[in-house]
Amino acid sequence: MRKLWFQLIEWWRGSSGSSRLCDSALLNALMEHLPSNIYFKDRDSRFIRVNAAAARWFGLNRPEEAIGKTDYDLFTEEHARPAREDEQTILRTGKPLLHQEEKETWPDGTVTWVDTSKMPLLDSAGRVIGTFGISRDITEKKRIEASLRAAKEAAEAASRAKSEFLANMSHEIRTPMNAIIGMAELLLDMDLTRTPHEYAQTILDSGESLLGLLNDILDFSRIEAGKIQFDPVPFDIRERIGAMMKGLAVRAHRKNLELACCIDAEVPEIVVGDVGRIRQILVNLVGNAIKFTEQGEVVLQVGVAERERDRCHLRFEVRDTGIGIPGDKLQAIFEQFEQVDKTTTRRFGGTGLGLAISSRLVEWMGGRLTLRSELGRGSVFSFTLPLTVSDTSRAVSRYAGPPSLQGMRVLVVDDNATNRHILEQTLRGWGLAPLSVANARGAFEALERAYAAKAPFRLVLTDLHMPHMDGAALATRICRDSRFADVRVLVLSSAGFADDVARLREIGVAGYLTKPVKQSELLQAITVALGPEYAGEDHLPQGEVETSAVRPLRILLAEDSVLNQKLAVGLLERWGHQVTVAENGQETIALWEQGGFDLILMDVQMPYLDGLQATRHIRRCETGATRPIPIVAMTAHAMTGDREKCLAAGMDDYVAKPIRRQHLQQVLAGLFPPAATSPE
Ligand code: ADP
């Protein structure tokens, strides 16, 4: 192209000077056939010569007709004036203007677009004697661009409308759901006969699954809209995953499945990541594994795939021994609303959204969810996530075994090989010397052998539910045998049944843990069981009696819905608190001004003055002297950013509706720590 220009200029110079290239066949052909418009103008912007394409573009019969004309003769002033100004600039500066997109308006009203380059025209002495240019029709390209832009804007507007609709729907549905779930929970706490109890339980279960579905749909639409936000924080991976697995244990144990969790020793203690999202993915995968497994085990394994100083790639793997997935469905189930067999939906429930959400979340966090499966034998879902290793990892890890445990012999008894393997690995990581056996008889023999060899075991970790002789029977034999007076027995069981606890306490076991056991829990149970000052029955868990650890509070409840008022009052009064209800923001402020409250529970959407406005008002009025009153938001808005809005308004914490009593209790305990209360 450059060469062509050079030749063109040479030609021009030639034709006005020495005529060297004047009749060059090549250039004449170029002027005749090049589809782009080429033109030459004098210093007054009059055309001196144009090529055939330009003549056609100008609507002329022959190129010669252009000579002597200006843009003002061909275009409207709207185009002619700026074109003229450009040429003046080139004449003044001697510099070209390259690749400008120009709008051309013609006298008949049509509009065209060209990509144009304009350059100074020099004579043989190098003086600027005019301009010349080349332009190309880009009208179609501009039209497509404009329609794409319009389509994009329309799509964005539609997507915004969809998100808003979802947020509103979510709010509208959550409010009555709050009442349905809460009322069902209150009903279940009453002395009901069997049938009404079953009805109430069904209402609660259906309410919860409806809420789960609502959350899934909201989540999925947020991911699809690219609106998902991640909130990376440092977290203790063993604690958080351990707690999550405990939450899923009830479902697994109801089906008599072993649920195990194995976090390799090299996994760092504290990593930085969005623990909520990681939890959501794992709950989905482990939940599915439990759902689609009839017998055997479900195991979550976490290991290090790659480690470079403060970055590490953690590999998460969820294995089950369930029904498996046929080869031709391995890919499809990651799509939304896809299920292997729609006819099983009724049996297993579910919407087919879980894996679509999980795989997208994993991708957003920089990994990929993959699946291996064998029909009838089980499935393995795995993914690797890049995470930062927190520099807040403790200098002395809480997962390091204390020196006193080094080399201590421990006997592990479990009929499940995976559990034995995990326990052995964990204990060995702490410096203990574990031996594992698969049944109570083997355990007793190992104890006797060790006693005879004068290398006795100090500790037995036994599973409770085993075929032939269970853990309780084994514990009884050990505790009654004087040879094993120094042996401490810890029992691991699937479910924390109160009667198990009582029975074990009588037998004399040193501790009782529910599976899957968290590492911190196990280490604590071991040190407590071995330390003489701790040994004994004090450390048996108390069972899950729902009593509030928080002292009785005077609570101002700001809530406009009568149903929700009833629900919250019912809950709070049962925990021993005294509740005063305000119907709206103004009433809340008036009651708060009278004083005497420990806490305000503030609904966000209320008539007249909403919760955010009321909070801002209260915070403005609180001047120095008194301690600011804790305000906890209760809102049906579940979209990201609402929490921030509440905190920005001056609230201390936030509970989403439907209010889950456990969460509310946690929030109350956080604001009024039980330790800070008086012993009365
Ligand atoms: P849902 O479980 O709500 O139907 P998911 O997206 O979580 O939706 O799963 C989609 C489908 O993939 C399930 O319906 C089931 O057919 C199949 N699936 C998922 N996990 C497993 C598993 N561990 N074993 C067998 N099938 C599975």
Side-chain angles (χ1 to χ4, degrees):
M1 192 67 186
R2 259 179 176 280
K3 201 163 162 201
L4 216 63
W5 278 120
F6 178 75
Q7 285 186 323
L8 262 174
I9 293 163
E10 280 298 299
W11 165 74
W12 169 259
R13 280 183 184 163
S15 65
S16 64
S18 65
S19 89
R20 195 156 36 99
L21 279 165
C22 186
D23 49 10
S24 149
L26 166 70
L27 286 161
N28 279 338
L30 201 64
M31 288 300 278
E32 193 60 36
H33 299 297
L34 197 75
S36 299
N37 306 332
I38 301 172
Y39 55 85
F40 297 85
K41 289 180 176 177
D42 64 15
R43 289 188 67 94
D44 294 324
S45 291
R46 277 189 300 260
F47 290 101
I48 310 166
R49 180 162 182 183
V50 303
N51 71 342
R56 275 195 302 279
W57 188 249
F58 296 152
L60 305 173
N61 294 324
R62 289 177 304 114
E64 292 74 30
E65 287 175 24
I67 296 169
K69 289 195 163 64
T70 67
D71 280 357
Y72 282 92
D73 300 316
L74 301 168
F75 299 96
T76 64
E77 199 198 333
E78 187 189 341
H79 170 69
R81 195 165 16 88
R84 175 73 191 253
E85 281 162 12
D86 280 354
E87 283 147 17
Q88 294 296 319
T89 309
I90 295 171
L91 293 175
R92 207 174 49 247
T93 62
K95 298 221 169 72
L97 294 172
L98 300 175
H99 289 300
Q100 298 194 115
E101 293 197 341
E102 258 177 24
K103 182 179 169 193
E104 297 173 327
T105 46
W106 303 81
D108 66 356
T110 23
V111 172
T112 51
W113 283 85
V114 286
D115 172 308
T116 176
S117 294
K118 304 175 185 178
M119 282 142 287
L121 187 61
L122 309 178
D123 68 8
S124 48
R127 282 185 304 259
V128 182
I129 54 166
T131 59
F132 72 101
I134 181 162
S135 66
R136 189 169 53 87
D137 180 12
I138 54 165
T139 312
E140 184 60 11
K141 179 180 143 225
K142 292 299 268 187
R143 195 189 58 75
I144 293 171
E145 268 175 19
S147 67
L148 279 179
R149 203 167 33 245
K152 180 168 169 276
E153 277 160 14
E156 278 167 359
S159 160
R160 264 195 309 279
K162 192 178 87 176
S163 299
E164 261 162 44
F165 171 75
L166 268 171
N168 288 338
M169 276 298 284
S170 146
H171 176 260
E172 295 303 321
I173 298 175
R174 263 161 208 278
T175 306
M177 289 289 295
N178 182 30
I180 294 173
I181 292 184
M183 287 292 160
E185 278 183 335
L186 285 182
L187 264 182
L188 284 168
D189 281 344
M190 292 167 78
D191 243 347
L192 297 181
T193 51
R194 220 186 67 197
T195 312
H197 190 278
E198 266 171 25
Y199 292 170
Q201 188 64 50
T202 311
I203 296 174
L204 181 63
D205 293 347
S206 314
E208 288 190 335
S209 67
L210 192 52
L211 197 63
L213 182 60
L214 184 66
N215 286 338
D216 273 1
I217 293 174
L218 253 179
D219 231 19
F220 188 73
S221 67
R222 256 187 247 143
I223 295 175
E224 288 293 90
K227 285 232 172 84
I228 191 114
Q229 284 179 3
F230 290 96
D231 185 14
V233 287
F235 68 98
D236 180 327
I237 190 160
R238 287 173 182 77
E239 273 303 304
R240 298 305 289 266
I241 290 187
M244 175 207 87
M245 290 298 272
K246 278 199 175 292
L248 292 163
V250 179
R251 264 152 78 191
H253 296 157
R254 213 180 280 152
K255 293 178 79 177
N256 274 328
L257 298 174
E258 282 292 343
L259 182 64
C261 173
C262 180
I263 302 180
D264 293 352
E266 0 20 302
V267 172
E269 191 174 336
I270 312 266
V271 291
V272 182
D274 190 328
V275 58
R277 293 295 180 188
I278 296 175
R279 184 177 180 282
Q280 182 182 1
I281 299 163
L282 291 173
V283 165
N284 177 237
L285 296 182
V286 177
N288 274 349
I290 296 171
K291 187 155 84 171
F292 296 106
T293 303
E294 286 314 315
Q295 54 181 1
E297 59 185 36
V298 171
V299 184
L300 167 63
Q301 173 113 29
V302 186
V304 175
E306 228 181 285
R307 171 94 195 239
E308 344 141 345
R309 267 177 288 135
D310 61 341
R311 298 281 294 165
C312 92
H313 291 247
L314 287 190
R315 183 179 165 76
F316 297 81
E317 190 175 277
V318 179
R319 297 197 293 276
D320 66 53
T321 53
I323 59 174
I325 296 160
D328 61 335
K329 295 276 183 182
L330 290 182
Q331 211 37 56
I333 58 161
F334 291 111
E335 294 304 318
Q336 65 266 36
F337 306 116
E338 276 297 335
Q339 297 178 319
V340 168
D341 179 0
K342 302 265 181 213
T343 58
T344 60
T345 308
R346 205 169 299 138
R347 186 148 65 94
F348 292 115
T351 55
L353 271 176
L355 285 176
I357 293 174
S358 294
S359 68
R360 281 164 180 75
L361 284 178
V362 169
E363 266 162 41
W364 274 85
M365 289 194 272
R368 211 166 78 82
L369 183 60
T370 57
L371 162 64
R372 297 195 309 276
S373 184
E374 207 179 321
L375 209 54
R377 308 205 64 157
S379 315
V380 184
F381 285 87
S382 55
F383 62 93
T384 305
L385 287 187
L387 297 167
T388 311
V389 179
S390 169
D391 50 14
T392 59
S393 273
R394 295 172 191 82
V396 178
S397 168
R398 56 195 292 206
Y399 298 104
S404 57
L405 296 183
Q406 301 303 307
M408 180 179 289
R409 298 199 71 196
V410 190
L411 185 62
V412 174
V413 195
D414 199 317
D415 56 326
N416 179 282
T418 308
N419 279 341
R420 285 200 301 275
H421 174 74
I422 295 172
L423 281 172
E424 261 191 59
Q425 207 179 327
T426 309
L427 295 167
R428 204 162 281 131
W430 293 332
L432 289 98
L435 173 78
S436 64
V437 292
N439 54 48
R441 182 135 51 84
F444 207 74
E445 286 167 10
L447 281 168
E448 285 182 321
R449 267 202 308 278
Y451 179 78
K454 302 225 169 354
F457 288 100
R458 278 284 281 130
L459 190 69
V460 175
L461 295 184
T462 178
D463 185 22
L464 182 61
H465 302 286
M466 292 185 293
H468 312 303
M469 191 198 290
D470 72 5
L474 173 66
T476 312
R477 275 187 76 177
I478 296 172
C479 293
R480 285 199 187 142
D481 195 320
S482 59
R483 291 174 294 171
F484 307 132
D486 284 341
V487 180
R488 296 280 166 269
V489 182
L490 288 176
V491 177
L492 275 55
S493 158
S494 303
F497 295 127
D499 46 341
D500 278 345
V501 180
R503 187 158 62 107
L504 293 166
R505 189 179 285 163
E506 256 166 45
I507 295 169
V509 305
Y512 175 89
L513 296 155
T514 52
K515 292 198 284 187
V517 181
K518 284 197 288 180
Q519 293 197 5
S520 57
E521 226 176 21
L522 181 61
L523 188 58
Q524 195 195 5
I526 292 176
T527 46
V528 167
L530 292 171
E533 69 273 33
Y534 292 109
E537 58 188 36
D538 287 1
H539 295 280
L540 290 170
Q542 298 301 303
E544 279 201 25
V545 190
E546 197 204 330
T547 50
S548 173
V550 177
R551 73 176 158 90
L553 300 169
R554 283 150 307 168
I555 297 176
L556 176 54
L557 173 74
E559 167 66 71
D560 63 317
S561 143
V562 180
L563 275 176
N564 288 339
Q565 281 171 10
K566 266 198 212 161
L567 172 68
V569 171
L571 259 184
L572 293 166
E573 287 188 342
R574 229 184 30 217
W575 295 340
H577 307 303
Q578 193 187 323
V579 187
T580 308
V581 176
E583 302 265 340
N584 57 50
Q586 265 147 344
E587 222 181 290
T588 312
I589 293 173
L591 283 163
W592 165 77
E593 278 167 349
Q594 291 172 18
F597 294 103
D598 298 310
L599 169 76
I600 303 179
L601 282 179
M602 183 84 85
D603 184 18
V604 170
Q605 276 212 331
M606 288 186 294
Y608 311 121
L609 198 65
D610 71 22
L612 297 174
Q613 292 167 314
T615 304
R616 280 189 215 108
H617 179 89
I618 291 175
R619 291 300 183 225
R620 268 199 304 277
C621 297
E622 283 175 328
T623 41
T626 47
R627 225 158 42 121
I629 186 163
I631 304 180
V632 173
M634 300 183 298
T635 153
H637 287 272
M639 304 297 272
T640 322
D642 284 332
R643 186 188 151 80
E644 285 66 30
K645 262 187 235 156
C646 293
L647 298 184
M651 302 199 188
D652 297 275
D653 211 330
Y654 168 104
V655 287
K657 284 185 189 172
I659 292 172
R660 314 320 313 272
R661 50 178 160 189
Q662 229 182 343
H663 186 208
L664 183 57
Q665 260 208 4
Q666 275 168 6
V667 169
L668 294 186
L671 290 169
F672 302 91
T677 58
S678 56
E680 42 96 66

